[in-house]
Amino acid sequence: MELKASNLRLAYGERVVVDGLSLAIAPQRITVIVGANACGKSTLLRGLARLLAPSAGAVTIDGVDIHKLPSREVARRIGMLPQSPIAPEGLSVGDLVARGRHPHQRWFAQWSPDDERAVVAALRATDTLDLARRSLDELSGGQRQRAWIAMALAQETEVLLLDEPTTFLDLAHQHDILELLSDLNEREGRTMVLVLHDLNQACRYAHHLVAMRDGAIVAEGAPADVIDARLVQEVFGLEVQILRDPRAGTPLVVPVGRPRGATAADRRPTP
């Protein structure tokens, strides 16, 4: 499936957040979007998921404007996990994950063996099977996040859009979730688009990295071709050194701090 944004403008009322942006999502690859807070990453994801209508330009699936397609068809092809999802009070984990199957159901066949298989597989993949009967309200932030990711996986879409999927997770579960998404991409060819804050995670897991600033793309490509000290300074306003990750071979971003005991005035730019 070919998902594209062309000359896209996205706004909330009079406030334009993304303007003139064009992006082709690489099929069967992991695309990671990075950038400073409020640069338009989440807004772009909402536009790609048809949750926000553009004021100019278009998002297309295989050349067809996404807003001209039936909602159920879009939901079968594109799954979206927003940054701060909300569930009804008292909903169990199992019921939440089962909601991911709604686009595949019809009024005359509300539940099927395929639905059951997909839900159980998603629960197992996210290590939430033993939480299925528990209420979301009882869970820790990390457990809730894994339950939401399980719901997105159960939808079994061709494209999966995840806005900061590692939010609330400890380091071990961040690694587990990113490894899971990477495995799904390799094993099933699912196209992934992630918004991540951690540049080193982005470099390790992205096939295609997109760096945004002020609602526009300033660079995109393979992490090794995109990430350098100049770009990080431009996008994040942070002085860094770029090393090579000894394990993955990908860029490793190391902030340049001042020596212990030194003041900010003692800092000097790196030549």
Side-chain angles (χ1 to χ4, degrees):
M1 185 179 84
E2 186 177 63
L3 180 63
K4 280 187 176 182
S6 302
N7 297 315
L8 195 63
R9 179 188 297 158
L10 298 169
Y12 301 100
E14 298 296 320
R15 183 170 65 91
V16 176
V17 178
V18 168
D19 197 11
L21 183 148
S22 294
L23 175 65
I25 301 301
Q28 299 184 324
R29 293 291 184 268
I30 298 176
T31 296
V32 177
I33 304 171
V34 299
N37 289 341
C39 73
K41 305 184 299 295
S42 296
T43 298
L44 173 57
L45 229 59
R46 294 191 71 214
L48 292 174
R50 209 181 79 157
L51 298 177
L52 183 61
S55 53
V59 174
T60 58
I61 296 176
D62 294 333
V64 179
D65 190 322
I66 196 171
H67 287 274
K68 295 180 180 178
L69 293 170
S71 297
R72 185 176 289 270
E73 180 180 346
V74 174
R76 286 175 179 166
R77 304 185 74 181
I78 299 177
M80 169 74 177
L81 179 62
Q83 193 175 77
S84 301
I86 299 173
E89 187 175 348
L91 191 71
S92 73
V93 170
D95 287 340
L96 173 70
V97 178
R99 291 186 172 209
R101 300 302 300 167
H102 286 183
H104 301 277
Q105 294 172 350
R106 298 294 186 185
W107 67 269
F108 54 84
Q110 290 297 306
W111 196 253
S112 72
D114 280 346
D115 295 326
E116 185 69 24
R117 173 199 51 75
V119 167
V120 171
L123 289 166
R124 283 180 175 154
T126 53
D127 195 24
T128 53
L129 188 59
D130 61 336
L131 303 176
R133 295 182 182 275
R134 292 181 59 184
S135 168
L136 282 173
D137 304 331
E138 303 173 10
L139 305 183
S140 69
Q143 289 172 324
R144 281 196 301 273
Q145 185 70 357
R146 285 188 284 137
W148 281 106
I149 292 171
M151 187 201 72
L153 295 180
Q155 196 171 337
E156 292 189 322
T157 54
E158 298 170 70
V159 177
L160 194 54
L161 311 177
L162 300 112
D163 194 353
E164 298 184 31
T166 56
T167 299
F168 304 121
L169 299 180
D170 60 33
L171 189 59
H173 278 112
Q174 287 181 32
H175 174 79
D176 288 346
I177 289 300
L178 291 172
E179 285 290 313
L180 165 65
L181 297 175
S182 179
D183 288 345
L184 283 171
N185 167 258
E186 290 183 12
R187 188 171 64 249
E188 301 179 7
R190 285 209 221 180
T191 301
M192 308 271 182
V193 184
L194 283 64
V195 168
L196 293 177
H197 274 301
D198 189 309
L199 271 179
N200 291 323
Q201 289 179 344
C203 288
R204 174 170 281 206
Y205 289 98
H207 298 113
H208 191 81
L209 193 72
V210 177
M212 290 185 64
R213 179 183 177 188
D214 298 332
I217 295 173
V218 296
E220 62 174 305
D225 297 333
V226 169
I227 292 295
D228 58 24
R230 179 203 58 77
L231 180 74
V232 177
Q233 178 68 52
E234 178 184 355
V235 172
F236 294 96
L238 180 67
E239 185 182 358
V240 300
Q241 286 186 321
I242 307 297
L243 307 178
R244 186 176 183 273
D245 186 317
R247 179 79 174 185
T250 52
L252 186 64
V253 180
V254 180
V256 176
R258 59 179 180 266
R260 289 184 178 275
T263 65
D266 295 327
R267 289 186 69 181
R268 296 290 182 270
T270 301

